[in-house]
Amino acid sequence: MHRKLVWLISGLLHRIHGGKARRAPAPTKPICVIGDVHGCIGLLEKLLSQVPHDAQIILVGDYIDRGEHSSEVLRMMQACPEFMCLMGNHEQMLLRFLADPKKHGRQWLRNGGLQTLASFRIPAARPEMTSEELTKCRDSLRRAMGDELVGWIADLKTSFHSGNIFVSHAGADPTCRLDQQSEHDLLWGNKHFQTKDRKDGQWVVHGHTIVSRAAVRGGRIAVDTGAFATGVLSAVYLDGSEPEFLTALG
């Protein structure tokens, strides 16, 4: 109760937005939003053990690439239908590679795709491959993943909305209604997101942009602490009172 009271008073005094006090971040039921996992399954398991039992678990995307255990993370997410798993730009890059390896393969490989291929035990993958090699690599990956997993990734939603909380991978266009956001802005970011506050009192929880520690700023709650590089995976628990941050250390 004390934590809630402090947060509400602080919000009234200090979180002025568009001439009005910004309401505390309040989903319709408690949620815990986890930042970019990037194949760090050990950190994910540690963090999940800290999540309050009343919280719906939401993940902001980027489950794959860069870390060493992308396949294990995907299988775990697929096996947990109670989780709300959102799509990140790395999942979109994977899907584009599967659809057209000659056109999109090199971009994906430059951004961590090699680690994902290794986690699925795809042999002979390397940073520079011919168009024929990319196609063979795609075919091997599709077989290793299986149609169900590929379909699960393709069906991932790009956002989650509850109360005055909006969750997406890369944030949102602050000048646009939340129900009119473009897929590009939700997955790759919007140039005004970090500098322009929303005027509708909504809080946007996001990953994608690495921060030194998870934090609240101007109606934005950032939870990507670069797990694959820093060994720190972060999350935020929201229940209508002051946001509570959780961390798992490698």
Side-chain angles (χ1 to χ4, degrees), residues 162-183:
S162 175
N164 65 352
I165 301 294
F166 183 84
V167 186
S168 68
H169 176 66
D173 180 351
T175 68
C176 181
R177 284 176 43 174
L178 290 174
D179 61 357
Q180 296 180 353
Q181 297 289 317
S182 72
E183 181 181 83

Short mmCIF file of all heavy atoms in Angstrom, two decimals, residues 162-183:
data_model
loop_
_atom_site.label_atom_id
_atom_site.label_comp_id
_atom_site.label_asym_id
_atom_site.label_seq_id
_atom_site.Cartn_x
_atom_site.Cartn_y
_atom_site.Cartn_z
N SER A 162 -3.59 -2.89 -22.77
CA SER A 162 -4.41 -3.18 -21.58
C SER A 162 -4.44 -1.94 -20.70
O SER A 162 -3.38 -1.45 -20.29
CB SER A 162 -3.81 -4.36 -20.81
OG SER A 162 -4.52 -4.59 -19.61
N GLY A 163 -5.63 -1.44 -20.40
CA GLY A 163 -5.72 -0.22 -19.60
C GLY A 163 -5.03 0.92 -20.33
O GLY A 163 -5.29 1.18 -21.50
N ASN A 164 -4.11 1.59 -19.63
CA ASN A 164 -3.35 2.65 -20.29
C ASN A 164 -1.92 2.20 -20.61
O ASN A 164 -1.00 3.01 -20.68
CB ASN A 164 -3.33 3.94 -19.45
CG ASN A 164 -2.61 3.77 -18.12
OD1 ASN A 164 -2.22 2.66 -17.74
ND2 ASN A 164 -2.41 4.87 -17.41
N ILE A 165 -1.76 0.89 -20.82
CA ILE A 165 -0.47 0.31 -21.17
C ILE A 165 -0.51 -0.24 -22.59
O ILE A 165 -1.39 -1.03 -22.94
CB ILE A 165 -0.10 -0.85 -20.21
CG1 ILE A 165 -0.04 -0.36 -18.77
CG2 ILE A 165 1.23 -1.48 -20.63
CD1 ILE A 165 1.08 0.62 -18.49
N PHE A 166 0.46 0.17 -23.39
CA PHE A 166 0.62 -0.34 -24.75
C PHE A 166 2.02 -0.93 -24.85
O PHE A 166 3.00 -0.28 -24.50
CB PHE A 166 0.46 0.80 -25.76
CG PHE A 166 0.54 0.37 -27.20
CD1 PHE A 166 -0.58 -0.12 -27.85
CD2 PHE A 166 1.73 0.48 -27.91
CE1 PHE A 166 -0.52 -0.50 -29.19
CE2 PHE A 166 1.80 0.11 -29.25
CZ PHE A 166 0.67 -0.38 -29.89
N VAL A 167 2.10 -2.18 -25.29
CA VAL A 167 3.39 -2.86 -25.39
C VAL A 167 3.66 -3.21 -26.85
O VAL A 167 2.80 -3.76 -27.54
CB VAL A 167 3.41 -4.16 -24.56
CG1 VAL A 167 4.82 -4.78 -24.57
CG2 VAL A 167 2.96 -3.91 -23.12
N SER A 168 4.84 -2.87 -27.32
CA SER A 168 5.28 -3.29 -28.65
C SER A 168 6.80 -3.41 -28.62
O SER A 168 7.45 -2.97 -27.67
CB SER A 168 4.86 -2.28 -29.72
OG SER A 168 5.56 -1.06 -29.57
N HIS A 169 7.34 -3.98 -29.65
CA HIS A 169 8.79 -4.23 -29.64
C HIS A 169 9.59 -2.94 -29.63
O HIS A 169 10.47 -2.75 -28.78
CB HIS A 169 9.20 -5.08 -30.84
CG HIS A 169 10.67 -5.27 -30.92
ND1 HIS A 169 11.37 -5.98 -29.98
CD2 HIS A 169 11.60 -4.80 -31.80
CE1 HIS A 169 12.66 -5.96 -30.27
NE2 HIS A 169 12.82 -5.25 -31.37
N ALA A 170 9.30 -2.04 -30.57
CA ALA A 170 10.16 -0.87 -30.75
C ALA A 170 9.50 0.45 -30.40
O ALA A 170 10.03 1.51 -30.71
CB ALA A 170 10.66 -0.83 -32.20
N GLY A 171 8.36 0.41 -29.73
CA GLY A 171 7.68 1.65 -29.37
C GLY A 171 6.56 1.96 -30.32
O GLY A 171 5.95 1.07 -30.92
N ALA A 172 6.28 3.26 -30.50
CA ALA A 172 5.14 3.66 -31.33
C ALA A 172 5.33 5.10 -31.78
O ALA A 172 6.07 5.87 -31.16
CB ALA A 172 3.84 3.52 -30.55
N ASP A 173 4.64 5.46 -32.82
CA ASP A 173 4.63 6.84 -33.31
C ASP A 173 3.81 7.69 -32.33
O ASP A 173 2.61 7.47 -32.17
CB ASP A 173 4.00 6.87 -34.70
CG ASP A 173 3.94 8.27 -35.30
OD1 ASP A 173 4.25 9.25 -34.58
OD2 ASP A 173 3.59 8.38 -36.48
N PRO A 174 4.44 8.66 -31.66
CA PRO A 174 3.72 9.44 -30.65
C PRO A 174 2.68 10.39 -31.23
O PRO A 174 1.85 10.92 -30.50
CB PRO A 174 4.84 10.21 -29.94
CG PRO A 174 5.91 10.34 -30.97
CD PRO A 174 5.86 9.06 -31.76
N THR A 175 2.71 10.59 -32.53
CA THR A 175 1.75 11.50 -33.18
C THR A 175 0.55 10.75 -33.75
O THR A 175 -0.34 11.37 -34.32
CB THR A 175 2.43 12.29 -34.31
OG1 THR A 175 2.77 11.39 -35.38
CG2 THR A 175 3.69 12.97 -33.81
N CYS A 176 0.53 9.45 -33.57
CA CYS A 176 -0.51 8.62 -34.21
C CYS A 176 -1.27 7.82 -33.16
O CYS A 176 -0.68 7.38 -32.16
CB CYS A 176 0.17 7.67 -35.20
SG CYS A 176 -0.95 6.59 -36.12
N ARG A 177 -2.56 7.65 -33.35
CA ARG A 177 -3.35 6.84 -32.43
C ARG A 177 -2.78 5.43 -32.34
O ARG A 177 -2.25 4.89 -33.31
CB ARG A 177 -4.80 6.76 -32.91
CG ARG A 177 -5.60 8.01 -32.66
CD ARG A 177 -6.99 7.91 -33.25
NE ARG A 177 -7.63 6.61 -33.01
CZ ARG A 177 -8.89 6.34 -33.33
NH1 ARG A 177 -9.64 7.26 -33.91
NH2 ARG A 177 -9.39 5.14 -33.07
N LEU A 178 -2.91 4.82 -31.17
CA LEU A 178 -2.32 3.50 -30.96
C LEU A 178 -2.97 2.42 -31.83
O LEU A 178 -2.32 1.43 -32.17
CB LEU A 178 -2.41 3.12 -29.48
CG LEU A 178 -1.48 3.94 -28.57
CD1 LEU A 178 -1.74 3.60 -27.11
CD2 LEU A 178 -0.01 3.69 -28.92
N ASP A 179 -4.21 2.59 -32.21
CA ASP A 179 -4.87 1.60 -33.06
C ASP A 179 -4.62 1.87 -34.54
O ASP A 179 -5.18 1.19 -35.39
CB ASP A 179 -6.37 1.53 -32.78
CG ASP A 179 -7.08 2.85 -33.03
OD1 ASP A 179 -6.42 3.85 -33.38
OD2 ASP A 179 -8.32 2.89 -32.88
N GLN A 180 -3.75 2.83 -34.85
CA GLN A 180 -3.44 3.15 -36.24
C GLN A 180 -1.93 3.11 -36.51
O GLN A 180 -1.44 3.70 -37.48
CB GLN A 180 -4.01 4.52 -36.61
CG GLN A 180 -5.53 4.58 -36.55
CD GLN A 180 -6.08 5.96 -36.92
OE1 GLN A 180 -5.34 6.92 -37.09
NE2 GLN A 180 -7.40 6.03 -37.04
N GLN A 181 -1.19 2.42 -35.67
CA GLN A 181 0.27 2.35 -35.82
C GLN A 181 0.66 1.48 -37.02
O GLN A 181 0.00 0.48 -37.32
CB GLN A 181 0.89 1.77 -34.56
CG GLN A 181 0.69 2.61 -33.32
CD GLN A 181 1.50 3.89 -33.32
OE1 GLN A 181 2.67 3.90 -33.71
NE2 GLN A 181 0.88 4.98 -32.89
N SER A 182 1.74 1.84 -37.66
CA SER A 182 2.24 1.03 -38.76
C SER A 182 3.08 -0.13 -38.22
O SER A 182 3.69 -0.02 -37.15
CB SER A 182 3.12 1.87 -39.71
OG SER A 182 4.36 2.19 -39.09
N GLU A 183 3.10 -1.23 -38.93
CA GLU A 183 3.91 -2.37 -38.53
C GLU A 183 5.38 -1.99 -38.45
O GLU A 183 6.10 -2.42 -37.56
CB GLU A 183 3.72 -3.52 -39.53
CG GLU A 183 4.51 -4.77 -39.20
CD GLU A 183 4.33 -5.87 -40.20
OE1 GLU A 183 5.02 -5.82 -41.26
OE2 GLU A 183 3.50 -6.77 -39.97
#
